[in-house]
Amino acid sequence: MRSLLIVLMIGASSVMAQNEKIDLSIAQKIKQEERLNSDIERLSYRLLDYAGPRLTGSDGMERGYKVAKEMMEEYGLSNPRIEFARDWPRGGWDILKAYAAMTVPYYIPIFPAPVAWTNGTNGPAKGEVTLITAKDRQELQALKGTLKGKIVLMPSVTEYQISFEPMARRHTEESLKQTAEYPITQVQPRRRRPAPAIEGSELSYAEILSFVHQEEPAVIIHESGSYSVPGLNFHKLEEVGPVPCELNISCENHGLMERLIKNGEKVEMEVDIAVKFESDRKIYNVIAELPGTDPKLKDQLVIIGGHLDCFHMSPGAGDNGAGFIAMLEAMRILKTIGVQPRRTIRVVFWGGEEVGLHGSTGYVEQFVQDPKTLEKKKEYDKISVYFNSDYGPGKFRGIFTQDNLMAHPIFIDWMQPFLDTGFTTVSNRSVGSTDHVPFDNAGIPAFQFIQDPMEWGRHSHRTQDFSDRLVLDDIRHNAVIVAWFAYNAAMRDERMPRK
């Protein structure tokens, strides 16, 4: 019965909205190629397990560029290359060793996540742990001169809460309906995430940390903030001078030591962190193409992509391995089934997204539009559309139009052959925070897919973001959708409409 209803839905939608030229034989070939010959599992191994963590500027990032290019070459894509995007004044940073343990009142190992671009300990740091308990500036100033060379435990910012709800979620019909509904409201500026709050204190976390930095401790230890694994943050570029060794540890380990100290127990730790800095590193993008074949349209571009960089304690499987793997698999599918796109289809793995959208922004600055003068560059009129994936490892359930109303009926037509896969929703919402934004800001049609939330808060930017978190069938589905959308955009008589 459900299958019959889906067929009726497809038929009815086609009658009402069918304006696009849809080649169902290509849709069939795309779907069948992925079902019979998927390379998603091997891509996951090569680009995640084998390539490893890829912090911007690190040796791991340099390795990631090379592995991505090798896979593009293996698939026979045209002109695979590692292309300069932007300078990176922060330079490179890599972990060589990371060890931490509480040694008094008893021994317990602690998993340390060094904060990127902070120093190491220059050999083992051993000693008593000092907990910061100051609640006002007078109490904080009373600590002046007492923290040099010490192991400092920063205040707690989280009270662990047991969850009685499953963490992993799929979209429901109701949640998709809410996503599709887009009331007309004033555009609001993006809100910054609130700084960690310290209960009962007039001091901000940032104020305490700034004070502690100036005291030159041996180690600064942060609580992860949520869940049982450390969050992975880094220091901002505007912070100058040497920054002491900093670690994130789990809220459970932090809470243990905090309770012991508050109950009068002496707590000691041993910490041994070694890191390496590199002064000369740049940000690159990894690019390859399926050349266009139409004499009039072959210089126009359909671009698909996701960011290659991640944080430094895991290979970023959900953020954003699942995204760029689906994009490269889409290119493999199209190459394998022998499509002859009218426009050139280009895949780009962006560098430096996690530290400020540098890869995509650098690309736009070089080839699309000068951000200050708004001067159009050589690709401004050539790019038809950009499709991005970076909202976790979840299954594609639809697409956001980025408030481009003219794209809405086009996407409705394109999704018809895949309604039965759960890809059903077009939302006119404008979404942000990832690599489609620089294109959208320049006036290029640029879109992000609607995805199932999955375990987003549990893995993103954290030590657990390994390929174990991936549902490979979801990525197979996503690759099919990307291949189909890229193909249709490449075959249209007209470019995608601009806002």
Side-chain angles (χ1 to χ4, degrees), residues 74-262:
E74 183 178 327
Y75 289 155
L77 302 180
S78 296
N79 195 21
R81 58 200 184 273
I82 300 171
E83 186 173 88
F84 171 78
R86 262 186 170 181
D87 289 322
W88 178 236
R90 165 130 287 180
W93 182 89
D94 287 274
I95 303 170
L96 303 180
K97 180 180 182 180
Y99 166 80
M102 184 179 78
T103 55
V104 173
Y106 47 85
Y107 182 91
I108 185 169
I110 293 175
F111 182 79
V115 175
W117 292 289
T118 65
N119 284 314
T121 55
N122 194 27
K126 302 178 182 180
E128 187 172 356
V129 177
T130 300
L131 173 66
I132 301 295
T133 58
K135 299 296 184 182
D136 56 38
R137 290 178 182 85
Q138 183 176 352
E139 291 181 3
L140 189 63
Q141 288 301 316
L143 296 174
K144 196 168 184 64
T146 67
L147 302 179
K148 186 176 179 65
K150 298 293 181 66
I151 298 173
V152 175
L153 192 66
M154 291 290 288
S156 173
V157 294
T158 295
E159 181 180 353
Y160 184 82
Q161 297 288 335
I162 294 176
S163 174
F164 293 94
E165 299 294 331
M167 187 170 290
R169 293 187 299 113
R170 296 279 192 188
H171 270 300
T172 63
E173 289 186 13
E174 180 60 29
S175 65
L176 286 171
K177 180 183 177 183
Q178 292 173 357
T179 301
E181 292 174 350
Y182 184 35
I184 297 175
T185 59
Q186 278 192 313
V187 176
Q188 299 294 323
R190 183 183 173 193
R191 297 177 179 177
R192 294 186 177 274
R193 294 175 183 173
I198 303 170
E199 186 177 356
S201 175
E202 69 177 39
L203 300 167
S204 71
Y205 197 87
E207 185 176 0
I208 295 174
L209 182 59
S210 178
F211 173 86
V212 174
H213 275 168
Q214 295 172 21
E215 295 298 297
E216 300 181 2
V219 185
I220 301 172
I221 298 177
H222 304 276
E223 181 191 57
S224 64
S226 60
Y227 308 118
S228 59
V229 291
L232 306 175
N233 60 334
F234 52 86
H235 282 278
K236 298 177 182 177
L237 281 171
E238 57 265 27
E239 293 174 348
V240 295
V243 179
C245 176
E246 294 188 36
L247 306 177
N248 284 302
I249 65 172
S250 71
C251 56
E252 292 89 346
N253 285 144
H254 186 285
L256 168 65
M257 291 191 288
E258 185 177 36
R259 291 189 299 273
L260 287 168
I261 293 170
K262 286 183 175 180

